[in-house]
Amino acid sequence: MDHGRAAPAGGTGPWKRGGAARTALLLALLTLLALALRVYRLDDQSAWYDENHYFIAAAPDFQTYVDGVRVWAPDNVILYQVLFWGWTRIFGLSLVAGRLFTVLLGLTAVPLAFLLGRRVFSPAVGWYAALLAALSPALVWHAQTMRPYGLCVPLVLFGLYALLRAAAGGGWKWWAAALAANSAMMWTHPFMGFVLPAQGLYLLVRRPRGLRSAAGWAAANLPAVVPPALWVLQRLPFVPPAEYDHLIPPSAWTALVDAFGDDVAPWSSEFPVAPPGWAAALPPGAHTWAGALWMFFFAGAVIASLPLVWRRLRGNDAGPFLLLCAGLLPLLSLLLLSVLWRPCLEIRYTPYAVACLYVLAGGALLARPRRGARAAAAFLAALLAFQTAWILPAGSRTAWRAAAERIGREGGPGDAVLVKSVPLWGVDAFLGNRSLPLPPVIPAHTLESVCRKASRLFAEGKENVWVVFEMAFFGPETVEETLRSRLTPLNVTVSCRYYPGMMGLLLAKLSRTAGGAVPPAPPAAPAPSFTDYAALLGADGGVVAPEEVDAAREAVDLPLPDGPFAFGAAAMLLAEEGHFSLAERCARHALAFQADYPPALLALGIALDGLGRTREAETSLCEALALDPAYGRLYGRLFHRLFGRPDAVGAMRELERLAPLGYPYSLLSRMTLRRFPGAAAPDAGMRLPGVREYPR
């Protein structure tokens, strides 16, 4: 018996009458459908923080790019990023070109779902699984995202298919293909390693020699697992804690949605979307009912496959068992890891699982000759199509691109732009999505900073100030009300537009009243903030002066948990606003948590340099470079030309190399210009007067 493949079952459809040419044609049509869904509004999907390798892909050389990725995403392995770098060298750095790379990778999920369904069950199941894979909102999302998960899907599915072929006597080439897929997926994302136990269980339950096969497979995969594991383990101390990303332990509902609701918006954590325009015509609660029906029927179909899995397993055909394990075992592993380590049950960590469950659901429904089962299969596909129609036209990512385009069209050279966002990457994300020239762009890290900087800009004679405000923790009403209360007394009008999606974005245009002078800003209550400034500045038990709190309000207004990452980030933000004494204090707080934390040492060195304590700054910076080779390669030559053997020309050359990496380029430029005040920093779209600006 062929243990990796069931005999085709029932039906007289085109998959039985036609040959290879018809199969290829139908598969091509399904793939074209998938392509159409994945490129729809592709140019409207703004890049965001988790796609930071896109922002730094303009790095002048490969090593600088890789080191930039390692510094900003220390827990990442880098196969996807390396392939992405090669792609951009050929097709350019436009947003559409960058997204097309993952779109094309994601398209392979359609033929791979077909091959898995045909091999494990029947051609009919293969076609059904391919249809669901083409329609899947989860797979559309991952295909449109410049993140490794779009590559994980085809690698895992191909690895499963190759293993089925190998175990069915396909020869060493299929074993080698399965091993290569496993190695590639481990270098794509470390959590893909949870697929390997599913493969091992599949081999273990097969008779005869199941134990020997599983042990041999485990040994063969060691070279695929150990190097990427070591790559990640050495950088785990640099990974931000779960609290910083506001991750919470998973609930039973979270696990249920992760298992069977990947495709349901807004229950799935992957789809932070607003309702599309056509949803207004639906009865109230229609989408909730559609999501509940999808999860009920989909989970029911998977559960209905269990007797079939058992019967096939008793017949020594473990193909359905492999799909069941690959679809659910990684989820259970992440659930256990969330209890033992840190919350990490996220739908994006098992993007392939839904495709495996599509095949199982199709096997349960289409293996039954009853008409009702086939009607249920059609109804399930219709429910999935409804979810797809819901997410495609909706705003899903933070609308940086839409805001930048409006400012580019309507803004003038005499205007200014203030950007408030999640710390560190916000201005780079905004600028990375621009397609038109912009007025000068100034970071404003808090709502209080937005109000103060807007007041100063109007006092300097600006006619219009644009505010791009990312809605992390804040609501648009709060921001608009604060802007009006603080700026209307200055003869400034405020008009706002809210863009939903992901974090949400408020674009405000502040305009000086025609003919109206700008009076001095009257005393005002501080803008709303979520930061505990006493905890931030007084972590060592010292007294926090009111003027220190007032200064910190310009740098931080989001909740920051205890830990080196939060204090290190606060130190960088305070240094950027010129509050070097407070930056030093926060950096030392970070090092009290973790003495060998390079970002905190870097922040401390920058703060000390700003205070004129050059020797101490050099010592701190050298410690950071010694702890992390990526830091050494990125910044070592620049610091040598600043502290070791001062060299203005060499320092400018290093700044030119670092400029495309974005943050913290502005701080490095400021350090350099203090050393060589007559020099001109390479133009990375930045200049550094009293406030940092990015000229057109």
Side-chain angles (χ1 to χ4, degrees):
M1 177 179 180
D2 183 350
H3 300 299
R5 178 177 182 179
T12 57
W15 46 82
K16 295 208 68 172
R17 295 195 303 270
R22 177 169 297 187
T23 297
L25 176 61
L26 292 176
L27 203 53
L29 291 175
L30 271 180
T31 305
L32 285 175
L33 169 64
L35 177 63
L37 296 176
R38 285 152 178 78
V39 299
Y40 178 70
R41 294 182 66 244
L42 193 64
D43 58 339
D44 290 338
Q45 304 292 345
S46 299
W48 62 296
Y49 316 114
D50 278 12
E51 298 168 329
N52 53 26
H53 57 275
Y54 168 72
F55 300 129
I56 65 177
D61 59 81
F62 179 70
Q63 186 64 64
T64 300
Y65 168 76
V66 170
D67 288 331
V69 169
R70 296 196 76 187
V71 165
W72 289 109
D75 53 343
N76 281 9
V77 282
I78 59 165
L79 177 60
Y80 174 83
Q81 289 85 348
V82 167
L83 296 175
F84 183 85
W85 163 270
W87 172 271
T88 59
R89 302 280 76 75
I90 299 172
F91 297 102
L93 287 167
S94 73
L95 191 59
V96 171
R99 293 208 181 281
L100 272 177
F101 173 62
T102 321
V103 164
L104 296 178
L105 292 174
L107 286 179
T108 59
V110 175
L112 286 169
F114 168 76
L115 291 173
L116 280 170
R118 182 177 68 174
R119 171 154 289 275
V120 174
F121 291 107
S122 69
V125 173
W127 290 117
Y128 185 69
L131 174 64
L132 296 187
L135 294 174
S136 169
L139 296 183
V140 169
W141 171 268
H142 291 305
Q144 288 186 335
T145 300
M146 293 179 288
R147 293 196 290 175
Y149 313 110
L151 177 57
C152 292
V153 175
L155 287 176
V156 172
L157 296 184
F158 176 74
L160 296 177
Y161 178 74
L163 185 62
L164 287 168
R165 294 292 301 267
W172 68 269
K173 291 182 180 180
W174 285 108
W175 288 111
L179 278 173
N182 286 353
S183 179
M185 76 182 187
M186 289 300 301
W187 279 106
T188 303
H189 197 285
F191 283 167
M192 296 306 105
F194 291 120
V195 177
L196 300 180
Q199 296 178 352
L201 281 175
Y202 162 71
L203 294 174
L204 182 65
V205 299
R206 297 176 72 251
R207 301 184 302 271
R209 298 186 297 274
L211 182 59
R212 181 195 296 180
S213 297
W217 187 242
N221 275 281
L222 283 177
V225 172
V226 172
L230 292 176
W231 173 283
V232 171
L233 286 174
Q234 66 176 326
R235 302 192 63 77
L236 276 184
F238 310 148
V239 176
E243 293 80 8
Y244 185 83
D245 289 327
H246 305 286
L247 301 176
I248 59 175
S251 63
W253 172 250
T254 304
L256 185 64
V257 170
D258 201 324
F260 304 111
D262 290 20
D263 293 304
V264 180
W267 295 345
S268 169
S269 60
E270 290 298 299
F271 306 127
V273 301
W278 59 265
L282 297 176
H287 185 255
T288 300
W289 279 105
L293 285 172
W294 163 261
M295 286 186 62
F296 176 79
F297 276 91
F298 186 46
V302 173
I303 293 170
S305 73
L306 296 180
L308 177 61
V309 171
W310 176 247
R311 289 196 304 271
R312 295 276 292 273
L313 198 56
R314 292 183 63 186
N316 203 26
D317 180 1
F321 179 73
L322 173 62
L323 295 177
L324 181 67
C325 289
L328 295 178
L329 186 59
L331 182 150
L332 297 175
S333 302
L334 288 169
L335 190 60
L336 178 62
L337 195 63
S338 298
V339 174
L340 299 178
W341 179 44
R342 55 178 276 165
C344 50
L345 184 65
E346 298 284 340
I347 286 172
R348 62 182 179 271
Y349 294 150
T350 54
Y352 51 84
V354 68
C356 296
L357 297 183
Y358 289 158
V359 178
L360 271 182
L365 295 173
L366 299 181
R368 301 169 182 267
R370 291 191 295 273
R371 189 172 299 174
R374 295 179 180 271
F379 183 58
L380 195 64
L383 288 172
L384 189 64
F386 176 85
Q387 298 296 333
T388 306
W390 185 276
I391 73 157
L392 282 180
S396 55
R397 293 166 177 85
T398 303
W400 299 113
R401 188 174 180 85
E405 286 182 349
R406 183 184 171 193
I407 296 172
R409 290 193 306 268
E410 301 178 17
D415 295 354
V417 182
L418 297 173
V419 178
K420 157 73 169 83
S421 70
V422 172
L424 303 186
W425 272 98
V427 174
D428 292 310
F430 175 67
L431 291 172
N433 285 285
R434 72 193 189 278
S435 57
L436 298 171
L438 295 174
V441 176
I442 305 167
H445 298 300
T446 67
L447 181 53
E448 179 66 28
S449 179
V450 168
C451 296
R452 293 181 186 182
K453 290 183 178 181
S455 300
R456 289 201 295 266
L457 288 167
F458 282 117
E460 293 169 5
K462 296 290 185 185
E463 294 294 329
N464 300 295
V465 175
W466 300 81
V467 177
V468 182
F469 198 105
E470 188 179 28
M471 297 284 107
F473 293 92
F474 290 90
E477 298 82 7
T478 299
V479 176
E480 184 172 355
E481 180 182 344
T482 302
L483 292 176
R484 291 187 187 281
S485 66
R486 294 285 292 272
L487 296 171
T488 300
L490 305 183
N491 292 329
V492 172
T493 61
V494 179
S495 61
C496 298
R497 177 178 176 181
Y498 178 66
Y499 295 88
M502 197 166 282
M503 294 284 191
L505 199 72
L506 185 76
L507 177 61
K509 183 179 182 181
L510 315 179
S511 302
R512 186 160 52 179
T513 304
V518 178
S529 172
F530 295 90
T531 301
D532 183 344
Y533 295 104
L536 177 68
L537 302 177
D540 55 2
V543 177
V544 181
E547 58 271 19
E548 293 176 334
V549 172
D550 186 65
R553 287 184 179 278
E554 295 185 343
V556 186
D557 64 1
L558 300 182
L560 293 177
D562 284 344
F565 191 89
F567 281 111
M572 295 291 269
L573 297 173
L574 287 162
E576 188 171 295
E577 293 299 328
H579 305 305
F580 295 112
S581 294
L582 296 181
E584 179 193 0
R585 187 184 305 179
C586 284
R588 295 196 185 280
H589 292 165
L591 293 170
F593 282 96
Q594 184 176 333
D596 60 347
Y597 188 55
L601 288 165
L602 179 67
L604 178 60
I606 291 172
L608 292 171
D609 185 73
L611 293 170
R613 291 150 62 181
T614 306
R615 287 293 182 86
E616 295 176 74
E618 182 180 5
T619 300
S620 179
L621 295 171
C622 288
E623 286 184 47
L625 305 188
L627 282 170
D628 189 342
Y631 272 76
R633 288 188 294 267
L634 281 178
Y635 307 126
R637 296 199 298 270
L638 173 64
F639 294 156
H640 178 68
R641 286 161 175 78
L642 295 181
F643 298 98
R645 299 182 61 183
D647 175 5
V649 174
M652 295 304 138
R653 189 182 305 118
E654 289 304 310
L655 282 182
E656 186 174 4
R657 179 177 65 89
L658 295 172
L661 302 186
Y663 200 87
Y665 176 79
S666 63
L667 291 168
L668 301 177
S669 296
R670 186 177 296 170
M671 289 176 64
T672 305
L673 294 179
R674 275 198 298 269
R675 293 285 180 293
F676 312 112
D683 182 12
M686 304 181 184
R687 57 188 172 90
L688 302 167
V691 290
R692 182 163 63 113
E693 295 189 356
Y694 296 69
R696 294 190 297 164

